[in-house]
Amino acid sequence: MSAAPLVETNAPVLRVDYLTQPLAEVLGDARVLAAFGFGDAAPVHADPRYLRVQLPPHGAAPFEVWRSDRAVEHGRDGAIAWSHDGALQFGALEVEEAGDDPDAIGTASQEAYRQLLAFTAASGYPHLLRVWNYLDGITEGDGDDERYKRFCLGRGYGLGTAIEGPLPAATAIGRPRPGAAGSRLQVYWLAARVPGTPLENPRQLSAYCYPREYGPQPPSFARAMLPPGDLPLLLSGTASIVGHRSLHADCVIAQIDETLANFDSLLATARARRPSLPARFGPDSRLKVYVRDRDELETVAAALDARLGPDVPRIVLHAAVCRRELRVEIDGVHR
Ligand code: 3EB
């Protein structure tokens, strides 16, 4: 007769949806691990599962909601807001930049990653799957003093021996307003009790191997993370970079096409591990699109309408990418 059921009843479930109902209703669902609102018009709410990300959306943005299939616990521990469902943890942390520190962003990122690692380890979710980093004035400063490069250095120190990997998938994006007194680094993450599989993209040099010209500390992230079980593929911020070079500095449309070609290649890599993943983005993908110039928001939205059609849910945000010549970056999840 039939063997014992192969269904792993404890297997985590994770759904990402873009929802337009009121925030109170979204957070009323006890299975919600995390919810994000975009732009200054997004509500403020004390629930530790909710985070406002101050990137202005193109048009009205929905909430981005990450849901489990079981009851979620949540709370705060010092500066860290957390939630977990027994298998997965979301955490969020903000670190103020000290006004009198010439390397305020480096100091803040080191502190953020030190706290992040201590918390994930102590709480029993030591496997970092995905991290999002938001900073002000990301390309301000020159040479090795550029703020993104200082961020990478601080992140490297904060990671300590964890920098040896496995590294999480990640996004590092700038808030579009210029850096000012009162800047703060916002970091949030998804961690798990069991590890995922980091993936690299054969069209791109691994970011952690970027040559010295991009800064003293190569960026510490993997191109994607394939979590265990049936969880969606977690896609890092992806731009018009082939090898380690930025391409098409003068054309946002060409940058979009190069970025989508990078995703084709990344999805092919993921499908070698999990053949059930679709080869192209579709109705179960969720994309976030970051556009540097306000004037190009509409162009990018229209180009994606033409390339992806209406069936691939996406949110277009005004944000600064971490290389000055990059006009657009896309991240998301895929299943
Ligand atoms: C790139 O491919 C674009 O420093 O965490 C993308 C995703 C980028 C994450 C990070 C940076 C980061 O190099 C930039």
Side-chain angles (χ1 to χ4, degrees):
M1 292 306 294
S2 63
L6 291 172
V7 177
E8 168 77 81
T9 51
N10 211 25
V13 166
L14 188 59
R15 278 198 59 99
V16 184
D17 287 296
Y18 296 152
L19 303 177
T20 53
Q21 62 245 50
L23 183 58
E25 204 174 297
V26 169
L27 295 172
D29 183 341
R31 301 164 301 177
V32 167
L33 273 161
F36 304 93
F38 298 96
D40 288 335
V44 175
H45 198 288
D47 191 306
R49 298 171 298 167
Y50 174 69
L51 198 66
R52 196 161 73 128
V53 173
Q54 271 167 318
L55 301 180
H58 179 57
F63 295 109
E64 179 188 345
V65 183
W66 295 63
R67 254 182 307 188
S68 166
D69 68 340
R70 66 194 84 175
V72 165
E73 288 182 43
H74 53 83
R76 289 185 197 273
D77 200 331
I80 294 176
W82 56 264
S83 68
H84 68 77
D85 72 350
L88 298 169
Q89 172 192 81
F90 256 97
L93 172 61
E94 282 182 24
V95 178
E96 299 283 337
E97 294 184 37
D100 56 351
D101 179 353
D103 184 29
I105 184 61
T107 306
S109 62
Q110 181 173 350
E111 177 60 16
Y113 276 82
R114 193 192 59 71
Q115 286 194 38
L116 180 168
L117 281 189
F119 184 81
T120 51
S123 56
Y125 296 86
H127 302 286
L128 205 48
L129 299 180
R130 181 70 169 89
V131 186
W132 293 259
N133 307 277
Y134 298 89
L135 48 152
D136 291 314
I138 190 163
T139 56
E140 281 175 26
D142 292 315
D144 286 352
D145 287 332
E146 185 183 77
R147 281 169 54 84
Y148 174 64
K149 297 189 176 100
R150 304 301 309 184
F151 161 80
C152 286
L153 201 54
R155 172 171 58 183
Y157 287 129
L159 283 170
T161 57
I163 203 170
E164 308 293 334
L167 291 167
T171 298
I173 279 290
R175 298 192 196 89
R177 78 175 173 82
S183 291
R184 65 206 160 73
L185 171 67
Q186 191 176 40
V187 177
Y188 61 87
W189 65 88
L190 173 67
R193 290 214 189 274
V194 296
T197 306
L199 302 179
E200 294 301 317
N201 188 335
R203 288 184 101 235
Q204 301 188 292
L205 184 65
S206 295
Y208 50 80
C209 296
Y210 281 172
R212 179 65 180 82
E213 64 190 277
Y214 298 99
Q217 173 60 59
S220 309
F221 69 96
R223 296 293 177 189
M225 178 64 75
L226 190 61
D230 192 35
L231 303 188
L233 176 67
L234 305 165
L235 303 162
S236 290
T238 300
S240 177
I241 295 174
V242 177
H244 58 79
R245 291 190 203 287
S246 306
L247 298 185
H248 322 299
D250 55 357
C251 181
V252 72
I253 298 292
Q255 287 205 347
I256 290 171
D257 286 333
E258 204 68 67
T259 302
L260 293 177
N262 279 334
F263 279 127
D264 285 346
S265 159
L266 186 57
L267 295 190
T269 303
R271 278 164 51 80
R273 300 250 178 192
R274 195 194 285 176
S276 63
L277 283 171
R280 310 301 297 267
F281 292 139
D284 291 326
S285 310
R286 303 284 182 267
L287 302 182
K288 291 225 294 288
V289 182
Y290 306 92
V291 182
R292 175 180 290 271
D293 292 331
R294 188 188 300 278
D295 290 350
E296 289 187 335
L297 281 165
E298 188 54 50
T299 309
V300 170
L304 290 174
D305 287 348
R307 284 156 181 78
L308 301 174
D311 293 337
V312 181
R314 52 194 179 260
I315 296 177
V316 177
L317 300 167
H318 182 205
V321 185
C322 65
R323 292 187 189 180
R324 292 173 199 188
E325 68 279 9
L326 292 175
R327 295 164 178 268
V328 62
E329 181 174 307
I330 301 176
D331 70 14
V333 303
H334 178 66
R335 61 180 302 156

